[in-house]
């Protein structure tokens, strides 16, 4: 229907005085919706790929940092403990499945004034310079060790040897569990307070574990007989039979003992190979 030549519908008066009509358009056409969906899909795919790539980089870099930190930590700690090992206490065992280095840490040391040393008669006490630690009753007194057998093959509860259990330490008076006799005298009158042995084992399964509180054994134990141990590092990549992670050169009269550490770690295609030497004093 037209009125005065104008059609029905919304209308308004323009600035020029002419009557203008306005038509209504509701919703979107199918083409417009499909276009928007395609554009949004492209944006989502692009942003998700960016997020996935960034997340992957973060996870991989975190894994590398973790392995690098673990490897540095275990090398540093093993180095410090080896340097504090009692003279001539190191021994190493190697198989295709593991390599273990065992040693006896020094708790304290000093000079003794009088001890029952052969050919003197056995005695249940002696005089030493006071130790820098308090004795709890589990420690052992060590004098002039010259070979691993002085630690592991001897009997701390026996009567003749270089290593004996301590019953009590009061000032400069040391008491043993029974009458004992040290087989050899130290030229420097030096003694050491020690406890149980410690082992670090490099496993073909890719782990490095630390074992302690298992006593002193005549035969060096295997990882399976030393207990669960403490996990120190992972991702060890050495093939132990052809690429040992450690080697040991015993001390001589003119040279200290040397432990050569050569562990190799691998993660996410990156390899960290260490070459590190540790000198261990062998002056008893």
């Amino acid at each position: 229907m037209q009125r005065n030549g104008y059609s029905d519908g919304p209308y308004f008066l323009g600035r020029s005085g002419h009557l203008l009509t306005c038509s209504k358009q509701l919703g979107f056409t199918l083409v417009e919706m499909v276009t928007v969906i395609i554009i949004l899909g492209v944006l989502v795919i692009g942003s998700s790929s960016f997020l996935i790539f960034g997340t992957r980089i973060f996870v991989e870099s975190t894994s590398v940092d973790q392995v690098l930190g673990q490897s540095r930590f275990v090398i540093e700690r093993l180095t410090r403990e080896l340097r504090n090992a009692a003279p001539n206490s190191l021994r190493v065992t190697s198989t295709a499945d593991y390599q273990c280095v065992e040693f006896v840490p020094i708790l304290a040391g000093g000079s003794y004034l009088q001890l029952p040393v052969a050919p003197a008669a056995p005695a249940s006490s002696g005089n030493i310079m006071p130790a820098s630690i308090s004795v709890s009753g589990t420690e052992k007194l060590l004098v002039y060790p010259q070979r691993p057998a002085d630690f592991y093959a001897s009997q701390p509860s026996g009567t003749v040897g270089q290593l004996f259990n301590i019953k009590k330490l009061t000032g400069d008076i040391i008491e043993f569990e029974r009458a004992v006799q040290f087989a050899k005298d130290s030229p420097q009158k030096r003694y050491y307070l020690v406890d149980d042995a410690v082992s670090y084992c490099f496993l073909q399964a890719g782990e490095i574990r630390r074992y302690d509180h298992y006593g002193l054994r005549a035969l060096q134990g295997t990882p399976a007989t030393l207990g669960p141990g403490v996990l120190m590092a992972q991702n060890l990549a050495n093939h132990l039979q052809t690429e040992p992670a450690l080697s040991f050169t015993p001390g001589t009269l003119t040279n200290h003992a040397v432990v050569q550490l050569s562990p190799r770690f691998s993660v996410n295609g990156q390899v960290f190979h260490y070459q590190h030497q540790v000198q261990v004093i062998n002056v008893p």
Side-chain angles (χ1 to χ4, degrees), residues 29 32 42 73 80 115 134-135 147 195 213 217 224 260 264 266 271 278:
T29 65
E32 292 173 333
V42 172
F73 168 76
R80 292 187 180 186
L115 287 175
S134 59
V135 174
R147 52 186 183 149
D195 204 341
H213 294 100
R217 304 182 180 184
Q260 176 71 40
R264 180 168 56 87
S266 177
V271 178
V278 184

Side-chain angles (χ1 to χ4, degrees), residues 13-91:
L13 189 63
R15 292 183 179 180
S16 61
H18 295 88
L19 191 64
L20 302 177
T21 62
C22 180
S23 60
K24 293 183 178 179
Q25 292 185 352
L26 302 177
F28 301 96
T29 65
L30 179 61
V31 174
E32 292 173 333
M33 294 181 62
V34 171
T35 302
V36 171
I37 291 173
I38 293 175
I39 294 174
L40 291 176
V42 172
L43 292 176
V44 170
I45 293 175
S47 60
S48 63
S49 299
F50 177 77
L51 292 175
I52 293 173
F53 181 71
T55 303
R56 182 180 303 168
I57 292 178
F58 174 77
V59 172
E60 291 181 354
S61 62
T62 301
S63 300
V64 171
D65 288 342
Q66 182 179 7
V67 172
L68 184 59
Q70 288 180 351
S71 61
R72 288 176 174 173
F73 168 76
V74 70
I75 293 296
E76 178 65 23
R77 176 156 182 177
L78 178 54
T79 298
R80 292 187 180 186
E81 293 199 54
L82 286 174
R83 287 174 177 167
N84 190 51
N88 302 311
S89 67
L90 269 72
R91 57 181 182 177

